[in-house]
């Protein structure tokens, strides 16, 4: 099962890996989890949405514009530096209300990104690249400019360009035609963030014992991609994703403690998801008498009642995380086999002795 919580004012570290796949435009928040067999729907604890303006390095605020229009009075037309036709004036609170004067023969292109057409501007965590829209003889599109600022201004010669912006895994590319006049351009990047954690019986699982794989689509609806969108996400890591539904596979330890869940990422918001595992940590040791010294160089195999091998190891104190259920631990030492039945209950970590007799 899975639990969601959202709150204001948190500032986690952000990791922005290189995108592997693009595109997912699903809507609406729908959260459900599949604990091993039966799906369980968990309602959100907090309905408050957290905006993601804390993500990425701090960005300089946009310059204040001169258009302080009283209420109910139409704003004047905005004319970019260098003259030319007038266009509707942007609000003084929007980026690039005023553009700087461009060098002779060039025009200024002021760009900014927002969380969708009706979303707020993204103030940081962006990477911008400007390419010429015509390839070179090698077939590559030449890189003209790049910036990691939130609202950069590029001075460009008249002509066609492809502007690419990335925000974590969310990316948008748009063709821009530059003439002699300066202009501003908004880019809609409907992205959100996902932060994952897990517990057993309401006790948090240490981050070093957890991994998460994120797939596109819904497992419950049978529309999950075969390859992970992002493999090996850490507990507490903030992953920036295009809005939509994703399938999360949570692995506790390195055996069979695996839980699957569907989560939905909403644009401009951070979704916290906690996966509930039904598992426990089991340490095995082969002893000659109860409470005796563990025998070194012992070969171990843990199998299910049906005979399926879950885990193998060699050593005096092998430790496994096993999903709740019944198992048989088999120890091999000096050509002899010794075994013991094990019952694993969620949250009850055990030290199991197998007698060598």
């Amino acid at each position: 099962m899975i639990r969601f919580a959202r709150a204001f004012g948190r500032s986690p570290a952000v990791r922005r890996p290189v995108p592997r796949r693009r595109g997912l435009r699903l809507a609406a928040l729908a959260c459900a989890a599949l604990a091993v067999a039966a799906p369980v729907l968990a309602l959100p604890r907090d309905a408050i949405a957290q905006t993601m303006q804390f993500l990425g390095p701090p960005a300089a605020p946009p310059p204040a514009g001169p258009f302080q229009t009283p209420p109910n009075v139409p704003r004047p037309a905005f004319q970019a530096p260098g003259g030319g036709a007038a266009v509707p004036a942007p609000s003084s609170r929007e980026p690039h209300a005023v553009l700087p004067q461009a060098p002779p023969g060039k025009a200024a292109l002021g760009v900014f990104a927002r969380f969708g057409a009706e979303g707020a501007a993204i103030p940081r965590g962006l990477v911008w690249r400007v390419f010429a829209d015509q390839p070179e003889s090698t077939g590559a599109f030449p890189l003209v400019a790049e910036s990691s600022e939130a609202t950069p201004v590029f001075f460009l010669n008249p002509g066609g360009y492809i502007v690419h912006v990335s925000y974590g895994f969310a990316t948008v590319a748009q063709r821009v035609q530059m003439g002699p006049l300066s202009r501003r351009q908004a880019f809609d990047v409907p992205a959100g963030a996902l932060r994952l954690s897990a517990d057993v019986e309401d006790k948090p699982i240490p981050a070093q014992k957890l991994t998460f794989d994120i797939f596109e689509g819904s497992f419950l609806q049978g529309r999950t991609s075969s390859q992970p969108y992002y493999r090996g996400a850490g507990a507490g890591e903030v992953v920036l994703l295009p809005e939509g539904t994703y399938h999360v596979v949570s692995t506790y330890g390195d055996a069979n403690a695996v839980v699957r869940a569907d989560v939905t990422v909403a644009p401009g918001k951070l979704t916290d998801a906690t996966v509930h595992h039904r598992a426990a940590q089991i340490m095995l040791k082969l002893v000659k008498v109860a409470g005796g010294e563990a025998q070194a160089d012992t070969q171990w195999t843990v199998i299910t009642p049906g005979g399926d091998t879950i885990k193998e190891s060699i050593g005096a104190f092998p430790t496994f995380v096993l999903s709740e259920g019944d198992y048989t631990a088999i120890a091999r030492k000096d050509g002899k086999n010794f075994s013991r039945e094990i019952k694993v209950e969620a949250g009850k970590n055990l030290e199991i002795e197998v007698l060598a007799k």
Side-chain angles (χ1 to χ4, degrees), residues 325-347:
D326 296 324
Y327 303 90
T328 300
I330 302 173
R332 296 179 180 88
K333 178 71 174 178
D334 298 330
K336 298 179 180 180
N337 291 343
F338 311 94
S339 64
R340 177 176 173 178
E341 304 298 318
I342 303 173
K343 185 176 182 61
V344 177
E345 299 181 43

Side-chain angles (χ1 to χ4, degrees), residues 96 99 109-113 126 128 146-154:
H96 304 306
L99 289 171
L109 174 63
V111 295
F112 67 99
L126 298 164
W128 298 87
E146 60 183 332
S147 175
S148 58
E149 297 179 6
T151 58
V153 176
F154 301 109

Side-chain angles (χ1 to χ4, degrees), residues 2 8 19 30 69 89 91 93 106 184 188 193 211 217 244 250 257 265 307 350:
I2 194 163
F8 286 100
T69 307
S91 166
R93 291 174 296 179
K106 296 180 179 291
R184 66 197 295 267
D188 295 339
T211 57
S250 173
V265 173
L350 297 174

Side-chain angles (χ1 to χ4, degrees), residues 21-42:
R21 296 181 57 195
R22 274 72 169 178
L24 186 60
R25 296 295 183 267
L26 304 176
L29 177 62
C31 56
L34 189 63
V36 169
V40 180
L41 182 65

Side-chain angles (χ1 to χ4, degrees), residues 9 15-16 20 25 38 41 54 56 66 92 199 206 226 235-236 243 329 342 347:
R15 172 176 162 185
R16 300 191 300 276
R20 296 182 185 176
R25 296 295 183 267
L41 182 65
F54 56 82
S92 61
D199 64 20
S226 59
E243 68 167 324
I342 303 173

